[in-house]
Amino acid sequence: MYKAMLMAALTLPMLGCESAHAEESWTLNTLADARSGIASPVDLGAPGDSPGDMFVFDQPLLNAEKENIGSNSGYCVRTLPGQFSECQWTLTMADGTITVAGREAETGTSLIPVVGGTGAYLGVTGMLATTPNGDRTFTQVLTLMKPNR
């Protein structure tokens, strides 16, 4: 009997710790619209697509209904011409920002880590899946996690 009471006493506090560290998760679907706003290539070094070239942007950020909800601003540095760039950008919305950074492919879907946020997104982690749509828009699906405090 004492053994059962000891096990219960040791197990209950551990259960409380686990629930205190549970995470809230959700998905946010956005569309980055490069058809308007700033989208400036910066050709450095050899003319044409070459390592070190940059692309600087500040474009509208739209929700799933294609309503403007903020801006999608950042830059990419070309690492492998015609294939990959290293990018960092911030999605700015009325209730805060989400910053992502990582390797983006020229074609197909790229998975970019979320590195942080502000406002309602303070402490957020997760992943952004970005896919070019062929019309200078990018479908962005954010899978976000925020520790419950």
Side-chain angles (χ1 to χ4, degrees):
M1 179 160 168
Y2 292 110
K3 187 175 180 181
M5 289 174 53
L6 178 61
M7 288 301 292
L10 292 174
T11 304
L12 288 176
M14 289 172 54
L15 292 175
C17 288
E18 287 176 21
S19 64
H21 295 292
E23 291 184 327
E24 172 189 351
S25 64
W26 71 99
T27 301
L28 176 63
N29 296 303
T30 65
L31 185 72
D33 188 358
R35 297 172 298 188
S36 60
I38 298 167
S40 300
V42 181
D43 194 7
L44 302 171
D49 191 10
S50 61
D53 286 352
M54 294 183 68
F55 186 76
V56 180
F57 55 92
D58 190 334
Q59 31 194 242
L61 182 65
L62 311 175
N63 64 13
E65 291 76 36
K66 298 187 179 171
E67 301 164 328
N68 192 321
I69 58 168
S71 65
N72 192 69
S73 309
Y75 62 90
C76 294
V77 177
R78 178 63 87 191
T79 54
L80 187 57
Q83 294 184 40
F84 297 103
S85 293
E86 189 66 26
C87 301
Q88 178 178 322
W89 69 92
T90 301
L91 291 78
T92 302
M93 297 159 282
D95 58 350
T97 65
I98 300 169
T99 299
V100 300
R103 189 175 196 188
E104 185 175 26
E106 191 73 21
T107 60
T109 299
S110 299
L111 300 177
I112 312 290
V114 170
V115 297
T118 66
Y121 309 100
L122 187 63
V124 76
T125 60
M127 189 72 58
L128 177 138
T130 181
T131 307
N133 296 320
D135 63 353
R136 298 188 62 220
T137 66
F138 297 80
T139 298
Q140 299 178 139
V141 178
L142 289 129
T143 303
L144 303 169
M145 291 157 282
K146 187 172 184 180
N148 290 332
R149 298 190 204 275

